[in-house]
Amino acid sequence: MLRLIARSCFYVLLILVVCITMLFRSCEGNTPNYYVQRENYISVKGVVYYVTYSDDNTKVYFGISNSTHPLSSSYYVILSSNLQVARNNGFDEKVKVGSEVVLTVPANYYEGHTLPVAALVVNGETLLDFEEGFQNMQQFFKRHFSLFDYICCK
């Protein structure tokens, strides 16, 4: 009887280890390859309805209404280096509730909700150029492409 319990515990533990390993590796698969391909980025238009900074001021989150994103996403984020570029070009003064924006973002994003911005045009003025924003995002994804890195090594 004790041998049966030990064997059952071994199999449960083995299955658990396999599942956890798959979880940590699941985001590593094709994620980096997807984001290095320019054809996987699309332009999205809309009107800003909120803007908020992260506690450490390294990210800005904003929502746009009337989004033209095919997944009906309305939540976006500008990350670290891209935020610095946008701020140097007047983001804080020019992006307000009611501003018309055109964003370039990945068509799909693995987190499934807040899409990172690679380019930003506000009321016809470019605050973040796609070439520079795209390169900055590549650096970000190289550092944060796996779930393990994102959770444990941030």
Side-chain angles (χ1 to χ4, degrees), residues 25-37 40 110 145:
R25 296 193 50 83
S26 66
C27 292
E28 292 179 17
N30 292 324
T31 299
N33 294 331
Y34 180 84
Y35 297 116
V36 299
Q37 298 173 21
N40 291 329
Y110 74 94
F145 70 92

Side-chain angles (χ1 to χ4, degrees), residues 43-154:
S43 290
V44 178
K45 298 177 184 178
V47 177
V48 175
Y49 67 84
Y50 84 87
V51 179
T52 186
Y53 285 89
S54 63
D55 290 339
D56 61 1
N57 260 355
T58 60
K59 298 177 216 122
V60 65
Y61 299 91
F62 57 100
I64 63 172
S65 58
N66 304 321
S67 173
T68 59
H69 194 280
L71 299 177
S72 300
S73 180
S74 63
Y75 303 104
Y76 302 88
V77 62
I78 301 178
L79 303 165
S80 54
S81 299
N82 282 347
L83 178 57
Q84 188 59 47
V85 172
R87 291 180 101 177
N88 289 343
N89 290 321
F91 180 90
D92 296 322
E93 299 81 30
K94 297 173 183 172
V95 178
K96 305 287 182 198
V97 171
S99 299
E100 293 182 11
V101 295
V102 178
L103 313 171
T104 303
V105 297
N108 294 302
Y109 189 55
Y110 74 94
E111 287 186 354
H113 52 91
T114 306
L115 290 154
V117 175
L120 171 65
V121 177
V122 180
N123 298 324
E125 182 179 350
T126 301
L127 301 186
L128 176 62
D129 177 67
F130 178 73
E131 290 305 317
E132 185 172 9
F134 180 78
Q135 292 304 319
N136 289 339
M137 283 180 61
Q138 299 315 300
Q139 294 303 313
F140 177 84
F141 288 131
K142 284 180 184 175
R143 289 189 308 268
H144 301 285
F145 70 92
S146 75
L147 182 60
F148 179 77
D149 287 342
Y150 189 75
I151 292 170
C152 301
C153 306
K154 197 168 182 179

Side-chain angles (χ1 to χ4, degrees), residues 14-42:
L14 180 65
I15 291 171
L16 184 61
V17 167
V18 169
C19 289
I20 289 172
T21 302
M22 288 174 43
L23 172 69
F24 284 129
R25 296 193 50 83
S26 66
C27 292
E28 292 179 17
N30 292 324
T31 299
N33 294 331
Y34 180 84
Y35 297 116
V36 299
Q37 298 173 21
R38 295 172 189 274
E39 62 271 10
N40 291 329
Y41 288 76
I42 60 171

